[in-house]
Coordinates of all heavy atoms in Angstrom, one line a residue:
M535 N 5.2 1.6 -31.2 CA 4.6 1.6 -29.8 C 3.1 1.6 -30.0 O 2.6 2.6 -30.7 CB 5.2 2.7 -29.0 CG 4.5 2.8 -27.7 SD 4.8 4.3 -26.8 CE 6.6 4.2 -26.4
P536 N 2.3 0.8 -29.3 CA 0.9 0.9 -29.4 C 0.4 2.2 -28.7 O 1.1 2.8 -27.9 CB 0.4 -0.3 -28.6 CG 1.6 -1.2 -28.5 CD 2.8 -0.4 -28.6
S537 N -0.8 2.6 -29.1 CA -1.3 3.8 -28.5 C -2.8 3.6 -28.2 O -3.4 2.8 -28.8 CB -1.1 5.1 -29.3 OG -1.8 4.9 -30.6
I538 N -3.3 4.4 -27.3 CA -4.8 4.3 -27.0 C -5.3 5.7 -27.0 O -4.6 6.7 -26.8 CB -5.0 3.7 -25.6 CG1 -4.4 4.4 -24.5 CG2 -4.6 2.2 -25.7 CD1 -4.8 3.9 -23.1
S539 N -6.6 5.9 -27.1 CA -7.2 7.2 -27.0 C -8.0 7.3 -25.8 O -8.8 6.3 -25.5 CB -8.1 7.4 -28.3 OG -7.4 7.5 -29.4
I540 N -7.9 8.4 -25.0 CA -8.7 8.6 -23.8 C -9.2 10.0 -23.8 O -8.6 10.8 -24.4 CB -7.9 8.2 -22.5 CG1 -6.6 9.2 -22.4 CG2 -7.5 6.8 -22.5 CD1 -5.9 9.1 -21.0
P541 N -10.2 10.2 -23.1 CA -10.7 11.6 -23.0 C -9.6 12.6 -22.4 O -8.8 12.2 -21.6 CB -11.9 11.5 -22.0 CG -12.3 10.1 -22.1 CD -11.1 9.4 -22.3
E542 N -9.7 13.8 -22.9 CA -8.7 14.8 -22.5 C -8.6 15.0 -21.0 O -7.6 15.1 -20.4 CB -9.0 16.2 -23.2 CG -8.0 17.3 -22.9 CD -6.6 17.0 -23.4 OE1 -6.4 16.3 -24.3 OE2 -5.6 17.5 -22.7
D543 N -9.8 15.1 -20.3 CA -9.8 15.3 -18.9 C -9.1 14.1 -18.1 O -8.5 14.3 -17.1 CB -11.2 15.5 -18.3 CG -12.1 14.4 -18.7 OD1 -12.0 13.7 -19.7 OD2 -13.1 14.1 -17.8
A544 N -9.3 12.9 -18.6 CA -8.7 11.7 -18.0 C -7.2 11.8 -18.2 O -6.4 11.5 -17.3 CB -9.2 10.5 -18.7
Y545 N -6.8 12.2 -19.4 CA -5.3 12.4 -19.7 C -4.7 13.4 -18.8 O -3.6 13.2 -18.2 CB -5.0 12.7 -21.1 CG -3.6 12.8 -21.4 CD1 -2.7 11.7 -21.4 CD2 -3.0 14.1 -21.6 CE1 -1.4 11.8 -21.6 CE2 -1.6 14.2 -21.8 CZ -0.8 13.1 -21.8 OH 0.5 13.2 -22.0
Q546 N -5.4 14.5 -18.6 CA -4.9 15.6 -17.7 C -4.8 15.1 -16.3 O -3.9 15.5 -15.6 CB -5.7 16.9 -17.8 CG -5.7 17.6 -19.1 CD -4.2 17.8 -19.6 OE1 -3.4 18.2 -18.7 NE2 -3.9 17.7 -20.8
A547 N -5.7 14.3 -15.8 CA -5.7 13.7 -14.5 C -4.4 12.8 -14.3 O -3.8 12.8 -13.3 CB -6.9 13.0 -14.2
L548 N -4.2 12.0 -15.4 CA -3.0 11.2 -15.4 C -1.7 12.0 -15.3 O -0.7 11.7 -14.6 CB -2.9 10.3 -16.6 CG -4.0 9.1 -16.7 CD1 -4.0 8.5 -18.0 CD2 -3.7 8.1 -15.6
V549 N -1.6 13.1 -16.1 CA -0.4 14.0 -16.1 C -0.3 14.5 -14.7 O 0.9 14.5 -14.2 CB -0.6 15.1 -17.2 CG1 0.5 16.1 -17.0 CG2 -0.6 14.5 -18.6
A550 N -1.3 15.0 -14.1 CA -1.2 15.6 -12.7 C -0.7 14.6 -11.7 O 0.1 14.8 -10.9 CB -2.6 16.1 -12.3
Q551 N -1.3 13.3 -11.8 CA -0.9 12.2 -10.9 C 0.6 11.9 -11.1 O 1.4 11.7 -10.1 CB -1.7 11.0 -11.1 CG -3.1 11.2 -10.6 CD -3.2 11.2 -9.0 OE1 -2.4 10.7 -8.4 NE2 -4.2 12.0 -8.6
A552 N 1.0 11.8 -12.4 CA 2.4 11.5 -12.6 C 3.4 12.5 -12.2 O 4.4 12.3 -11.6 CB 2.6 11.2 -14.2
A553 N 3.0 13.8 -12.4 CA 3.8 14.9 -12.0 C 4.0 14.9 -10.5 O 5.1 15.2 -9.9 CB 3.2 16.2 -12.5
A554 N 2.9 14.6 -9.7 CA 3.0 14.6 -8.3 C 3.9 13.6 -7.8 O 4.5 13.7 -6.7 CB 1.6 14.4 -7.7
R555 N 4.1 12.5 -8.6 CA 5.0 11.4 -8.2 C 6.4 11.6 -8.8 O 7.2 10.7 -8.6 CB 4.4 10.1 -8.6 CG 3.2 9.8 -7.7 CD 2.4 8.5 -8.3 NE 1.4 8.1 -7.4 CZ 0.2 8.7 -7.2 NH1 -0.1 9.8 -7.9 NH2 -0.7 8.2 -6.4
N556 N 6.5 12.6 -9.7 CA 7.8 12.8 -10.4 C 8.2 11.6 -11.3 O 9.3 11.2 -11.3 CB 8.9 13.2 -9.4 CG 10.1 13.8 -10.1 OD1 9.9 14.5 -11.1 ND2 11.2 13.7 -9.6
I557 N 7.1 11.1 -12.0 CA 7.4 10.0 -13.0 C 6.6 10.3 -14.2 O 5.8 11.2 -14.3 CB 6.9 8.6 -12.4 CG1 5.4 8.6 -12.0 CG2 7.7 8.2 -11.2 CD1 4.8 7.3 -11.6
A558 N 7.0 9.5 -15.3 CA 6.3 9.7 -16.5 C 4.9 9.1 -16.5 O 4.7 8.2 -15.7 CB 7.1 9.1 -17.7
V559 N 4.0 9.6 -17.3 CA 2.7 9.0 -17.4 C 2.7 7.6 -17.7 O 2.0 6.8 -17.1 CB 1.8 9.8 -18.5 CG1 0.5 9.1 -18.7 CG2 1.6 11.3 -18.1
E560 N 3.6 7.2 -18.6 CA 3.7 5.8 -19.0 C 4.1 4.9 -17.8 O 3.6 3.8 -17.6 CB 4.8 5.6 -20.1 CG 4.3 6.1 -21.4 CD 4.7 7.7 -21.6 OE1 5.1 8.3 -20.5 OE2 4.4 8.2 -22.6
E561 N 5.0 5.4 -16.9 CA 5.4 4.7 -15.7 C 4.2 4.6 -14.7 O 4.0 3.6 -14.1 CB 6.6 5.3 -15.1 CG 7.0 4.7 -13.8 CD 7.6 3.3 -14.0 OE1 7.8 2.8 -15.1 OE2 7.7 2.6 -12.9
L562 N 3.5 5.7 -14.6 CA 2.3 5.6 -13.7 C 1.3 4.6 -14.2 O 0.8 3.8 -13.3 CB 1.6 7.1 -13.7 CG 0.4 7.1 -12.9 CD1 0.7 7.1 -11.4 CD2 -0.4 8.4 -13.3
L563 N 1.0 4.6 -15.5 CA 0.1 3.5 -16.0 C 0.7 2.1 -15.8 O 0.0 1.2 -15.4 CB -0.2 3.8 -17.4 CG -1.0 5.0 -17.7 CD1 -1.1 5.4 -19.2 CD2 -2.4 4.9 -17.1
R564 N 1.9 1.9 -16.0 CA 2.6 0.7 -15.8 C 2.4 0.1 -14.3 O 2.0 -1.0 -14.1 CB 4.1 0.6 -16.2 CG 4.6 -0.8 -16.1 CD 6.2 -0.8 -16.1 NE 6.7 -0.1 -15.0 CZ 6.8 -0.6 -13.7 NH1 6.4 -1.7 -13.4 NH2 7.4 0.1 -12.7
R565 N 2.6 1.1 -13.4 CA 2.5 0.7 -12.0 C 1.0 0.5 -11.7 O 0.7 -0.5 -10.9 CB 3.0 1.9 -11.1 CG 4.5 2.0 -11.2 CD 4.9 3.1 -10.3 NE 6.4 3.4 -10.3 CZ 7.0 4.3 -9.6 NH1 6.4 5.0 -8.8 NH2 8.3 4.4 -9.8
A566 N 0.1 1.2 -12.3 CA -1.3 0.9 -12.0 C -1.7 -0.4 -12.5 O -2.5 -1.2 -11.8 CB -2.1 2.1 -12.6
V567 N -1.3 -0.8 -13.8 CA -1.6 -2.1 -14.3 C -1.0 -3.2 -13.5 O -1.6 -4.2 -13.2 CB -1.2 -2.2 -15.8 CG1 -1.3 -3.6 -16.3 CG2 -2.0 -1.2 -16.6
D568 N 0.3 -3.0 -13.0 CA 1.0 -4.0 -12.2 C 0.3 -4.3 -10.9 O 0.3 -5.3 -10.3 CB 2.4 -3.6 -12.0 CG 3.2 -3.8 -13.2 OD1 2.8 -4.4 -14.2 OD2 4.4 -3.2 -13.2
A569 N -0.4 -3.2 -10.4 CA -1.1 -3.3 -9.1 C -2.5 -4.0 -9.1 O -3.0 -4.4 -8.1 CB -1.3 -1.9 -8.5
L570 N -3.0 -4.2 -10.4 CA -4.2 -4.9 -10.5 C -4.0 -6.3 -10.2 O -3.1 -6.9 -10.5 CB -4.7 -4.7 -12.0 CG -5.1 -3.4 -12.4 CD1 -5.4 -3.4 -13.9 CD2 -6.4 -2.9 -11.7
P571 N -5.1 -7.0 -9.6 CA -5.0 -8.4 -9.3 C -4.9 -9.2 -10.6 O -5.6 -8.9 -11.6 CB -6.3 -8.7 -8.5 CG -7.2 -7.6 -8.6 CD -6.4 -6.4 -9.2
R572 N -4.1 -10.2 -10.6 CA -4.0 -11.1 -11.8 C -5.3 -11.9 -11.9 O -5.9 -12.2 -10.9 CB -2.8 -12.0 -11.7 CG -1.5 -11.3 -11.5 CD -1.1 -10.5 -12.7 NE 0.1 -9.8 -12.5 CZ 0.1 -8.5 -12.4 NH1 -1.0 -7.7 -12.5 NH2 1.3 -7.8 -12.3
P573 N -5.6 -12.3 -13.1 CA -6.9 -13.1 -13.3 C -6.9 -14.3 -12.4 O -8.0 -14.7 -11.9 CB -6.9 -13.5 -14.7 CG -6.1 -12.4 -15.4 CD -5.0 -12.0 -14.4
S574 N -5.8 -14.9 -12.0 CA -5.8 -16.1 -11.2 C -5.9 -15.8 -9.8 O -6.1 -16.6 -8.9 CB -4.6 -17.0 -11.5 OG -3.4 -16.2 -11.2
E575 N -5.7 -14.5 -9.3 CA -5.8 -14.1 -7.9 C -7.1 -13.6 -7.6 O -7.8 -12.9 -8.3 CB -4.8 -12.9 -7.7 CG -3.3 -13.3 -7.9 CD -2.4 -12.1 -7.7 OE1 -2.9 -11.1 -7.1 OE2 -1.3 -12.1 -8.0
P576 N -7.7 -14.1 -6.4 CA -8.9 -13.5 -6.0 C -8.8 -12.1 -5.6 O -7.8 -11.7 -5.0 CB -9.3 -14.4 -4.8 CG -8.0 -14.9 -4.3 CD -7.1 -15.0 -5.5
S577 N -9.8 -11.2 -6.0 CA -9.7 -9.9 -5.5 C -10.4 -9.8 -4.2 O -11.2 -10.6 -3.8 CB -10.4 -9.0 -6.5 OG -11.8 -9.2 -6.5
V578 N -10.1 -8.7 -3.4 CA -10.7 -8.5 -2.2 C -12.2 -8.4 -2.3 O -12.9 -8.9 -1.4 CB -10.1 -7.2 -1.5 CG1 -10.8 -7.0 -0.2 CG2 -8.6 -7.4 -1.3
Q579 N -12.7 -7.8 -3.3 CA -14.1 -7.7 -3.5 C -14.8 -9.0 -3.7 O -16.0 -9.2 -3.3 CB -14.5 -6.7 -4.7 CG -14.1 -5.3 -4.4 CD -12.6 -5.0 -4.8 OE1 -11.9 -5.8 -5.4 NE2 -12.1 -3.9 -4.3
E580 N -14.1 -10.0 -4.4 CA -14.7 -11.3 -4.7 C -14.7 -12.2 -3.5 O -15.4 -13.2 -3.5 CB -13.9 -11.9 -5.9 CG -14.0 -11.1 -7.2 CD -13.1 -11.7 -8.2 OE1 -12.3 -12.6 -7.9 OE2 -13.1 -11.2 -9.3
S581 N -13.8 -12.0 -2.6 CA -13.6 -13.0 -1.5 C -14.0 -12.3 -0.2 O -13.6 -11.3 0.2 CB -12.1 -13.4 -1.4 OG -11.9 -14.2 -0.3
P582 N -14.9 -13.0 0.6 CA -15.3 -12.5 1.9 C -14.2 -12.8 2.9 O -14.4 -12.5 4.1 CB -16.5 -13.4 2.2 CG -16.3 -14.7 1.4 CD -15.5 -14.3 0.2
T583 N -13.0 -13.4 2.6 CA -12.1 -13.6 3.5 C -10.8 -12.7 3.3 O -9.7 -13.1 3.4 CB -11.6 -15.1 3.4 OG1 -11.2 -15.4 2.0 CG2 -12.7 -16.1 3.8
N584 N -11.0 -11.5 3.0 CA -10.0 -10.5 2.9 C -9.0 -10.8 1.8 O -7.8 -10.6 2.1 CB -9.4 -10.3 4.3 CG -8.6 -9.0 4.3 OD1 -8.8 -8.1 3.5 ND2 -7.6 -8.9 5.2
G585 N -9.4 -11.3 0.7 CA -8.5 -11.6 -0.4 C -7.8 -12.9 -0.3 O -7.0 -13.3 -1.2
H586 N -8.0 -13.7 0.7 CA -7.4 -15.0 0.8 C -8.3 -16.1 0.3 O -9.6 -16.0 0.6 CB -7.0 -15.3 2.2 CG -6.0 -14.3 2.7 ND1 -4.7 -14.2 2.3 CD2 -6.2 -13.3 3.6 CE1 -4.1 -13.2 2.9 NE2 -5.0 -12.6 3.6
P587 N -7.9 -17.1 -0.4 CA -8.8 -18.2 -0.7 C -9.6 -18.8 0.5 O -8.9 -19.1 1.5 CB -7.9 -19.3 -1.4 CG -6.6 -18.5 -1.8 CD -6.5 -17.3 -0.7
S588 N -10.9 -19.0 0.3 CA -11.6 -19.4 1.4 C -11.4 -20.8 1.8 O -11.8 -21.3 2.9 CB -13.1 -19.2 1.1 OG -13.5 -20.0 0.0
D589 N -10.8 -21.7 1.0 CA -10.5 -23.1 1.3 C -9.3 -23.2 2.2 O -8.8 -24.3 2.5 CB -10.4 -23.9 0.0 CG -9.3 -23.4 -0.9 OD1 -8.8 -22.3 -0.7 OD2 -8.9 -24.2 -1.8
M590 N -8.6 -22.1 2.7 CA -7.5 -22.2 3.5 C -7.7 -21.9 5.0 O -7.1 -21.3 5.6 CB -6.5 -21.1 3.0 CG -6.1 -21.3 1.5 SD -4.4 -21.4 1.4 CE -4.2 -21.8 -0.3
T591 N -8.9 -22.4 5.4 CA -9.2 -22.2 6.8 C -8.6 -23.1 7.8 O -8.4 -22.8 9.0 CB -10.7 -22.3 6.9 OG1 -11.2 -23.6 6.5 CG2 -11.5 -21.2 6.1
G592 N -8.2 -24.3 7.4 CA -7.6 -25.2 8.3 C -6.1 -25.2 8.2 O -5.5 -24.4 7.5
D593 N -5.5 -26.1 9.0 CA -4.0 -26.3 8.9 C -3.6 -26.9 7.6 O -4.3 -27.7 7.0 CB -3.5 -27.2 10.0 CG -3.7 -26.6 11.4 OD1 -3.7 -25.4 11.4 OD2 -3.9 -27.3 12.3
L594 N -2.5 -26.4 7.0 CA -2.0 -26.8 5.8 C -0.7 -27.6 6.0 O 0.0 -27.3 7.0 CB -1.6 -25.7 4.8 CG -2.8 -24.8 4.3 CD1 -2.2 -23.7 3.6 CD2 -3.7 -25.6 3.5
P595 N -0.4 -28.6 5.1 CA 0.8 -29.2 5.2 C 1.9 -28.2 5.0 O 1.7 -27.1 4.3 CB 0.9 -30.2 4.1 CG -0.6 -30.5 3.8 CD -1.3 -29.2 4.1
Y596 N 3.1 -28.4 5.5 CA 4.2 -27.3 5.5 C 4.4 -26.9 4.1 O 4.5 -25.7 3.8 CB 5.4 -27.9 6.1 CG 6.6 -26.8 6.0 CD1 6.6 -25.7 6.8 CD2 7.6 -27.0 5.0 CE1 7.6 -24.8 6.6 CE2 8.6 -26.1 4.9 CZ 8.6 -24.9 5.7 OH 9.6 -24.0 5.6
A597 N 4.6 -27.9 3.1 CA 4.9 -27.5 1.7 C 3.9 -26.5 1.2 O 4.2 -25.5 0.5 CB 5.0 -28.7 0.9
E598 N 2.6 -26.8 1.4 CA 1.5 -25.9 1.0 C 1.5 -24.6 1.6 O 1.4 -23.5 1.0 CB 0.1 -26.5 1.0 CG -0.1 -27.7 0.1 CD -1.4 -28.4 0.3 OE1 -2.4 -27.5 0.4 OE2 -1.5 -29.6 0.4
W599 N 1.7 -24.6 3.0 CA 1.8 -23.4 3.8 C 2.9 -22.5 3.3 O 2.8 -21.3 3.0 CB 2.0 -23.6 5.2 CG 2.2 -22.4 6.0 CD1 1.2 -21.7 6.6 CD2 3.4 -21.8 6.3 NE1 1.7 -20.6 7.3 CE2 3.1 -20.6 7.1 CE3 4.7 -22.1 6.0 CZ2 4.1 -19.8 7.5 CZ3 5.7 -21.3 6.5 CH2 5.4 -20.1 7.3
K600 N 4.1 -23.1 3.0 CA 5.3 -22.4 2.5 C 5.0 -21.8 1.2 O 5.4 -20.6 0.9 CB 6.5 -23.3 2.4 CG 7.7 -22.7 2.0 CD 8.5 -22.0 3.0 CE 9.9 -21.7 2.6 NZ 10.1 -20.2 2.4
Q601 N 4.3 -22.4 0.3 CA 4.0 -21.9 -1.0 C 3.1 -20.7 -0.9 O 3.3 -19.7 -1.5 CB 3.3 -23.0 -1.9 CG 3.0 -22.6 -3.3 CD 2.4 -23.6 -4.1 OE1 2.0 -24.7 -3.6 NE2 2.4 -23.5 -5.4
V602 N 2.0 -20.8 0.0 CA 1.2 -19.7 0.2 C 1.9 -18.5 0.8 O 1.7 -17.4 0.4 CB -0.1 -20.1 1.1 CG1 -0.9 -18.9 1.5 CG2 -0.9 -21.1 0.3
F603 N 2.7 -18.8 1.8 CA 3.4 -17.8 2.5 C 4.4 -17.0 1.6 O 4.5 -15.8 1.5 CB 4.3 -18.3 3.6 CG 5.1 -17.3 4.4 CD1 4.6 -16.5 5.3 CD2 6.5 -17.2 4.1 CE1 5.3 -15.5 5.9 CE2 7.2 -16.3 4.8 CZ 6.7 -15.4 5.7
D604 N 5.1 -17.8 0.7 CA 6.0 -17.2 -0.3 C 5.3 -16.4 -1.3 O 5.8 -15.3 -1.6 CB 6.8 -18.3 -1.0 CG 7.9 -19.0 -0.1 OD1 8.2 -18.4 0.9 OD2 8.3 -20.1 -0.5
G605 N 4.1 -16.7 -1.6 CA 3.3 -15.9 -2.5 C 2.9 -14.6 -1.9 O 2.9 -13.6 -2.6
L606 N 2.5 -14.7 -0.7 CA 2.1 -13.5 0.0 C 3.3 -12.5 0.2 O 3.2 -11.3 0.1 CB 1.5 -13.8 1.5 CG 0.2 -14.4 1.4 CD1 -0.2 -14.9 2.9 CD2 -0.9 -13.5 0.9
L607 N 4.5 -13.1 0.6 CA 5.7 -12.3 0.7 C 6.1 -11.7 -0.6 O 6.5 -10.5 -0.6 CB 6.8 -13.2 1.2 CG 8.1 -12.6 1.6 CD1 7.9 -11.5 2.7 CD2 9.2 -13.6 2.1
A608 N 6.0 -12.4 -1.7 CA 6.3 -11.8 -3.0 C 5.3 -10.7 -3.4 O 5.8 -9.7 -4.0 CB 6.2 -12.9 -4.1
R609 N 4.1 -10.8 -3.0 CA 3.1 -9.7 -3.3 C 3.4 -8.5 -2.5 O 3.3 -7.4 -3.0 CB 1.7 -10.2 -3.0 CG 1.1 -11.2 -4.1 CD -0.2 -11.7 -3.7 NE -1.2 -10.7 -3.8 CZ -2.4 -10.8 -3.3 NH1 -2.8 -12.0 -2.8 NH2 -3.3 -9.9 -3.3
A610 N 3.8 -8.7 -1.3 CA 4.2 -7.6 -0.4 C 5.5 -6.9 -1.0 O 5.5 -5.7 -1.0 CB 4.5 -8.0 1.0
K611 N 6.5 -7.6 -1.4 CA 7.7 -7.1 -1.9 C 7.4 -6.4 -3.2 O 8.1 -5.4 -3.5 CB 8.8 -8.2 -2.1 CG 9.3 -8.7 -0.8 CD 10.4 -9.7 -1.1 CE 11.0 -10.2 0.2 NZ 12.0 -11.3 0.1
S612 N 6.4 -6.8 -4.0 CA 6.1 -6.2 -5.3 C 5.5 -4.8 -5.1 O 5.5 -4.0 -6.0 CB 5.1 -7.0 -6.1 OG 3.8 -6.9 -5.5
R613 N 5.1 -4.4 -3.8 CA 4.6 -3.1 -3.5 C 5.7 -2.2 -2.9 O 5.4 -1.0 -2.6 CB 3.4 -3.2 -2.6 CG 2.2 -3.9 -3.2 CD 1.0 -3.9 -2.3 NE 1.3 -4.5 -1.0 CZ 0.9 -5.8 -0.8 NH1 0.4 -6.6 -1.7 NH2 1.2 -6.4 0.4
A614 N 6.9 -2.6 -2.8 CA 7.9 -1.8 -2.1 C 8.2 -0.5 -2.9 O 8.6 0.5 -2.2 CB 9.2 -2.7 -2.1
D615 N 8.0 -0.5 -4.2 CA 8.3 0.8 -4.9 C 7.3 1.9 -4.6 O 7.4 3.0 -5.1 CB 8.3 0.5 -6.4 CG 7.0 0.1 -7.0 OD1 6.1 -0.5 -6.2 OD2 6.8 0.3 -8.2
R616 N 6.2 1.6 -3.8 CA 5.2 2.6 -3.5 C 5.7 3.5 -2.3 O 5.0 4.5 -2.1 CB 3.9 1.9 -3.1 CG 3.3 1.1 -4.2 CD 2.0 0.5 -3.8 NE 1.5 -0.3 -4.8 CZ 0.4 -1.1 -4.8 NH1 -0.3 -1.0 -3.6 NH2 0.0 -1.9 -5.7
Y617 N 6.8 3.2 -1.7 CA 7.3 3.9 -0.6 C 8.5 4.7 -1.0 O 9.2 4.3 -1.9 CB 7.7 3.0 0.6 CG 6.4 2.3 1.1 CD1 6.2 0.9 0.7 CD2 5.5 2.8 1.9 CE1 5.1 0.3 1.1 CE2 4.4 2.2 2.3 CZ 4.2 0.9 2.0 OH 3.0 0.2 2.4
P618 N 8.8 5.8 -0.3 CA 10.0 6.6 -0.7 C 11.3 5.8 -0.4 O 11.3 4.9 0.5 CB 9.9 7.8 0.2 CG 8.8 7.6 1.1 CD 8.0 6.4 0.7
P619 N 12.4 6.1 -1.1 CA 13.7 5.4 -0.8 C 14.0 5.5 0.6 O 13.9 6.5 1.3 CB 14.6 6.1 -1.7 CG 13.9 6.8 -2.8 CD 12.5 7.1 -2.1
G620 N 14.5 4.5 1.2 CA 14.9 4.4 2.6 C 13.8 4.4 3.6 O 14.1 4.5 4.9
F621 N 12.6 4.3 3.2 CA 11.4 4.3 4.1 C 11.5 3.1 5.1 O 11.8 2.0 4.8 CB 10.1 4.2 3.3 CG 8.9 4.1 4.3 CD1 8.3 5.2 4.8 CD2 8.3 2.9 4.5 CE1 7.2 5.1 5.6 CE2 7.2 2.8 5.4 CZ 6.7 3.9 5.9
R622 N 11.3 3.4 6.4 CA 11.3 2.4 7.4 C 10.1 2.7 8.4 O 10.1 3.8 8.9 CB 12.6 2.3 8.2 CG 12.6 1.2 9.2 CD 14.0 0.8 9.5 NE 14.0 -0.1 10.6 CZ 13.8 -1.4 10.6 NH1 13.6 -1.9 9.5 NH2 13.9 -2.1 11.7
L623 N 9.2 1.8 8.5 CA 8.0 2.0 9.4 C 8.4 2.0 10.8 O 9.2 1.1 11.3 CB 7.0 1.0 9.1 CG 5.7 1.0 10.0 CD1 5.0 2.3 9.7 CD2 4.9 -0.2 9.8
N624 N 8.1 3.0 11.5 CA 8.3 3.1 13.0 C 7.0 2.5 13.6 O 6.1 3.3 13.9 CB 8.7 4.4 13.5 CG 9.0 4.5 15.0 OD1 8.8 3.5 15.7 ND2 9.4 5.6 15.5
D625 N 7.0 1.2 14.0 CA 5.9 0.7 14.6 C 6.1 0.3 16.0 O 5.5 -0.7 16.5 CB 5.4 -0.6 13.8 CG 6.4 -1.6 13.6 OD1 7.6 -1.4 14.2 OD2 6.1 -2.7 13.1
S626 N 6.9 1.1 16.7 CA 7.2 0.8 18.1 C 6.0 1.1 18.9 O 5.1 1.9 18.6 CB 8.4 1.6 18.6 OG 8.0 3.1 18.6
R627 N 5.9 0.5 20.1 CA 4.7 0.8 21.1 C 4.6 2.3 21.3 O 3.5 2.8 21.4 CB 5.0 0.0 22.3 CG 3.9 0.2 23.4 CD 4.2 -0.6 24.6 NE 3.9 -2.0 24.4 CZ 2.7 -2.6 24.5 NH1 1.7 -1.9 24.9 NH2 2.5 -3.9 24.4
E628 N 5.7 2.9 21.5 CA 5.7 4.3 21.9 C 5.1 5.2 20.7 O 4.3 6.1 20.9 CB 7.1 4.9 22.1 CG 7.8 4.3 23.4 CD 8.3 2.9 23.2 OE1 8.5 2.5 22.1 OE2 8.5 2.2 24.2
T629 N 5.4 4.8 19.4 CA 4.8 5.5 18.3 C 3.3 5.2 18.1 O 2.5 6.1 17.8 CB 5.6 5.2 17.1 OG1 7.0 5.5 17.2 CG2 5.1 5.9 15.9
I630 N 3.0 4.0 18.4 CA 1.6 3.6 18.1 C 0.7 4.3 19.1 O -0.4 4.7 18.8 CB 1.4 2.0 18.3 CG1 2.1 1.4 17.1 CG2 0.0 1.6 18.4 CD1 2.2 -0.2 17.3
Y631 N 1.1 4.4 20.4 CA 0.3 5.0 21.4 C 0.6 6.5 21.7 O 0.1 7.0 22.7 CB 0.4 4.1 22.7 CG -0.2 2.8 22.5 CD1 0.6 1.6 22.4 CD2 -1.6 2.6 22.4 CE1 0.0 0.4 22.2 CE2 -2.2 1.4 22.2 CZ -1.4 0.3 22.1 OH -1.9 -0.9 21.9
E632 N 1.4 7.1 20.9 CA 1.8 8.4 21.1 C 0.6 9.4 21.1 O -0.3 9.3 20.2 CB 2.8 8.9 20.0 CG 3.4 10.2 20.2 CD 4.4 10.6 19.1 OE1 4.5 9.8 18.1 OE2 5.1 11.6 19.2
G633 N 0.5 10.3 22.1 CA -0.6 11.2 22.2 C -1.9 10.6 22.6 O -2.9 11.2 22.5
R634 N -1.9 9.4 23.2 CA -3.1 8.8 23.7 C -3.4 9.1 25.1 O -4.2 8.5 25.7 CB -3.1 7.3 23.3 CG -2.9 7.0 22.0 CD -4.2 6.7 21.3 NE -3.9 6.4 19.9 CZ -4.6 5.5 19.2 NH1 -5.4 4.7 19.8 NH2 -4.3 5.3 18.0
G635 N -2.6 9.9 25.8 CA -2.7 10.2 27.2 C -2.5 9.1 28.1 O -3.3 8.8 29.0
E636 N -1.4 8.4 27.9 CA -1.1 7.2 28.8 C -1.1 7.6 30.3 O -0.6 8.3 30.9 CB 0.3 6.7 28.4 CG 0.2 6.1 27.0 CD 1.6 5.5 26.6 OE1 2.3 4.9 27.4 OE2 2.0 5.7 25.5

């Protein structure tokens, strides 16, 4: 197995982060690397269009639109492990405006 050397304080920070998530340091690092944008994907910092290719401003033919949509859906699904098991977002109108003095 390959190994790397990092400063002790950085390693202790990784240990603390992994412990807070109840996972191994190796798993924490794997997830962190998996979350990085791939070299072929534009990063949010590189693109003024919120991470989307700037040449997609007009209508696309269905086949191209479907390909882009499927890619976005796959990226969203790849982040599913960041939520606790059984997590379901309550995005009802009542929840969104709760406590706003209607």
Side-chain angles (χ1 to χ4, degrees):
M535 174 192 294
S537 65
I538 60 171
S539 297
I540 61 172
E542 182 64 28
D543 60 328
Y545 180 74
Q546 292 305 323
L548 289 170
V549 169
Q551 290 289 331
R555 291 169 173 76
N556 199 27
I557 59 174
V559 172
E560 293 83 357
E561 177 65 13
L562 177 72
L563 291 172
R564 185 195 61 78
R565 290 180 185 183
V567 170
D568 288 348
L570 292 172
R572 302 293 176 252
S574 61
E575 295 178 11
S577 72
V578 173
Q579 293 82 15
E580 295 171 356
S581 174
T583 56
N584 197 22
H586 301 286
S588 59
D589 59 344
M590 302 232 174
T591 57
D593 291 332
L594 294 175
Y596 176 76
E598 290 179 48
W599 176 87
K600 178 83 166 109
Q601 184 179 14
V602 171
F603 178 78
D604 289 343
L606 291 171
L607 190 58
R609 288 175 64 191
K611 287 181 180 179
S612 74
R613 296 187 295 268
D615 65 335
R616 297 181 184 180
Y617 299 100
F621 175 81
R622 181 153 171 87
L623 176 66
N624 182 354
D625 59 354
S626 66
R627 177 179 289 273
E628 292 80 18
T629 302
I630 292 172
Y631 293 105
E632 184 176 12
R634 303 263 177 137
E636 292 181 42

